[in-house]
Amino acid sequence: MALSFPRRCLLLLCLTAIQSGHATTCMDKHQVVGVLRQMEKFLKGQEMRFTEGLRIMKSKLATLQNSVSKLPQADQSAAPTTCPSLEAPAHGTKFGSKYFVGHEVHFTCSQGYHLVGSATRVCRDNGTWTGISAICKDISECTSNPCQNGGTCVEGVNQYKCTCPQNWSGSHCQHQTQTDVNECEVYRLDQGGKLCVHECVNVPGSYHCSCPSGYKLLSDGRSCEDVDECLSQQHNCSRGTTCINTGGGFQCVNPECPRSHGNISYVKTSPFQCERNPCPMDSRSCHLAPKTVSFHYLSLPSNLQTPATLFRMATAAAPGRTGPDSLRFGIVGGNYRGIFVMQRSDRQTGELILVQQLRGPQEISVDVDMSEYTDRTFQAKHVARVHVLVSPYNF
């Protein structure tokens, strides 16, 4: 005959007591029920403590995870903070397409407009831009009342024209009409431009054009062309120097390599390039110094229309060797007044762009660099020193 659960428990407790030698008789039913209730209470207490322990552990894990998520990202591959995109102003141009922290964006206006606002804005750590929005406003030529002696000013595209009353002529109606026709002024009034590229000389019954020293008059009788003294051997440069043609003249140059200091020294490998001598293995400063320094001379007319690309830097791997997988370009010296911008044109090329017009005669130097990286590790740096020679004339 099968025993019920209480009876099996009683028999089990009785046998346990006999085997342990603590009792020779079985407990009665009420005593067994009391023991079972105590065991049930004990198990419920253990279950409650286990559940509470799990709850506390989950709370601490959530707090720890929240704290870790607020720490700076140790993985440099994570996306950095960015600023909102900026658009070019109407009648203007924007330079710079990167919106990461520390990056700059530059603005310029088309001819006939002037910039109101910030010409340069920098992305800050908090994801906002410095400065204020740039606006290009129209420059009204007639507001200064340039026409004299009752002349009427008529606005044009980036220029104006004076309509003169009878017996007055000239670009500003400043000349009384004479018996001889001044072809130079008549052409200027009728066509709205200059009859000669440089200077128009009125003579009785005619005119002729002249060019400044260092230029020659072309066959059209109006245009001027620079004489290349270097190409035509009309220079006096001595041995050891190189002739550089400029607008209206020439220069004799012999650029020197950077001076040696510490473990860093250079050797001239061509008239316009220096290369760094091999570095000691343990010299970090030597490895960070430019591997090559090159010299470039650019002759520009005065008031060249901007933006204008002046110079390009690129890298090329030697045959059988892989090149760097990342390049960085920048301006490292001489960019006073912010007249240049260095930006990437494609994966392997950077461009030096003139963003402000230069009036000659003047000379400006700017140093640009190109840094090579492989797997985000710096490999080498190359510096180009660009000398800009601005002519006094806009041709």
Side-chain angles (χ1 to χ4, degrees):
M1 180 178 180
L3 296 176
S4 64
F5 177 75
R7 292 180 179 274
R8 286 200 302 269
C9 290
L10 287 172
L11 178 60
L12 176 64
L13 292 174
C14 183
L15 292 174
T16 302
I18 293 173
Q19 290 175 357
S20 60
H22 295 292
T24 57
T25 60
C26 295
M27 292 184 292
D28 62 23
K29 179 178 180 179
H30 295 289
Q31 289 176 324
V32 172
V33 170
V35 171
L36 292 176
R37 286 178 178 174
Q38 289 180 1
M39 291 178 66
E40 182 180 8
K41 289 181 180 180
F42 172 76
L43 291 175
K44 285 186 178 180
Q46 292 294 329
E47 181 181 6
M48 291 178 61
R49 281 192 290 271
F50 179 75
T51 303
E52 179 64 15
L54 284 177
R55 186 190 65 80
I56 294 174
M57 183 176 294
K58 287 182 179 180
S59 175
K60 290 184 177 180
L61 284 174
T63 302
L64 180 60
Q65 184 177 8
N66 185 47
S67 300
V68 171
S69 65
K70 295 180 180 179
L71 293 176
Q73 292 292 337
D75 184 7
Q76 296 182 357
S77 64
T81 302
T82 60
C83 290
S85 62
L86 297 176
E87 300 297 332
H91 309 292
T93 306
K94 180 192 73 174
F95 297 92
S97 58
K98 301 295 185 182
Y99 303 139
F100 298 131
V101 173
H103 281 254
E104 298 180 358
V105 175
H106 308 269
F107 303 94
T108 61
C109 291
S110 304
Q111 188 173 358
Y113 296 85
H114 69 279
L115 184 71
V116 177
S118 301
T120 299
R121 303 185 71 181
V122 182
C123 182
R124 294 184 287 206
D125 294 336
N126 60 2
T128 62
W129 293 98
T130 61
I132 59 176
S133 299
I135 301 174
C136 294
K137 289 194 174 182
D138 185 17
I139 300 174
S140 177
E141 301 285 353
C142 289
T143 54
S144 60
N145 299 318
C147 302
Q148 305 172 19
N149 302 307
T152 302
C153 182
V154 179
E155 289 281 3
V157 179
N158 300 329
Q159 61 181 2
Y160 66 92
K161 180 179 180 181
C162 290
T163 302
C164 301
Q166 191 175 4
N167 299 327
W168 291 96
S169 63
S171 59
H172 299 90
C173 304
Q174 72 274 30
H175 301 304
Q176 280 189 310
T177 304
Q178 301 176 357
T179 303
D180 176 54
V181 176
N182 187 332
E183 290 85 358
C184 301
E185 289 297 326
V186 170
Y187 185 91
R188 179 181 178 88
L189 293 174
D190 291 346
Q191 304 298 325
K194 298 174 64 176
L195 183 55
C196 301
V197 169
H198 178 56
E199 184 177 0
C200 181
V201 181
N202 185 61
V203 297
S206 185
Y207 75 96
H208 69 266
C209 298
S210 67
C211 295
S213 177
Y215 293 82
K216 61 182 179 181
L217 190 66
L218 296 181
S219 58
D220 63 2
R222 299 172 54 189
S223 304
C224 298
E225 184 181 71
D226 175 48
V227 176
D228 191 335
E229 291 84 0
C230 301
L231 184 63
S232 59
Q233 298 296 316
Q234 300 180 37
H235 63 85
N236 57 359
C237 295
S238 60
R239 292 180 62 86
T241 63
T242 303
C243 179
I244 299 295
N245 185 64
T246 63
F250 65 93
Q251 285 190 12
C252 303
V253 301
N254 182 24
E256 296 182 356
C257 295
R259 293 182 178 180
S260 302
H261 60 282
N263 294 321
I264 307 171
S265 62
Y266 291 85
V267 60
K268 205 168 190 180
T269 54
S270 73
F272 298 107
Q273 179 155 316
C274 300
E275 294 188 10
R276 189 188 67 209
N277 287 314
C279 293
M281 293 297 295
D282 58 346
S283 177
R284 176 177 172 79
S285 61
C286 182
H287 287 285
L288 293 177
K291 187 175 182 180
T292 64
V293 179
S294 57
F295 304 88
H296 308 267
Y297 297 86
L298 305 178
S299 180
L300 301 182
S302 186
N303 296 317
L304 178 66
Q305 186 70 32
T306 58
T309 299
L310 302 184
F311 177 76
R312 289 183 173 90
M313 289 186 78
T315 185
R321 297 181 59 186
T322 58
D325 55 26
S326 176
L327 295 175
R328 296 179 186 175
F329 300 93
I331 295 176
V332 293
N335 186 26
Y336 62 96
R337 297 182 296 176
I339 58 179
F340 300 101
V341 169
M342 191 72 182
Q343 70 177 26
R344 185 189 301 273
S345 60
D346 57 41
R347 187 173 179 273
Q348 297 292 334
T349 308
E351 293 180 338
L352 178 66
I353 300 177
L354 177 70
V355 295
Q356 292 187 24
Q357 290 187 341
L358 298 176
R359 176 172 296 182
Q362 65 170 312
E363 295 184 16
I364 295 178
S365 295
V366 58
D367 291 351
V368 296
D369 74 344
M370 175 180 68
S371 297
E372 301 176 349
Y373 290 81
T374 300
D375 295 332
R376 299 183 182 178
T377 301
F378 174 81
Q379 300 296 319
K381 178 169 65 175
H382 306 272
V383 172
R385 293 183 174 173
V386 182
H387 301 272
V388 180
L389 313 171
V390 186
S391 163
Y393 312 105
N394 58 358
F395 50 83

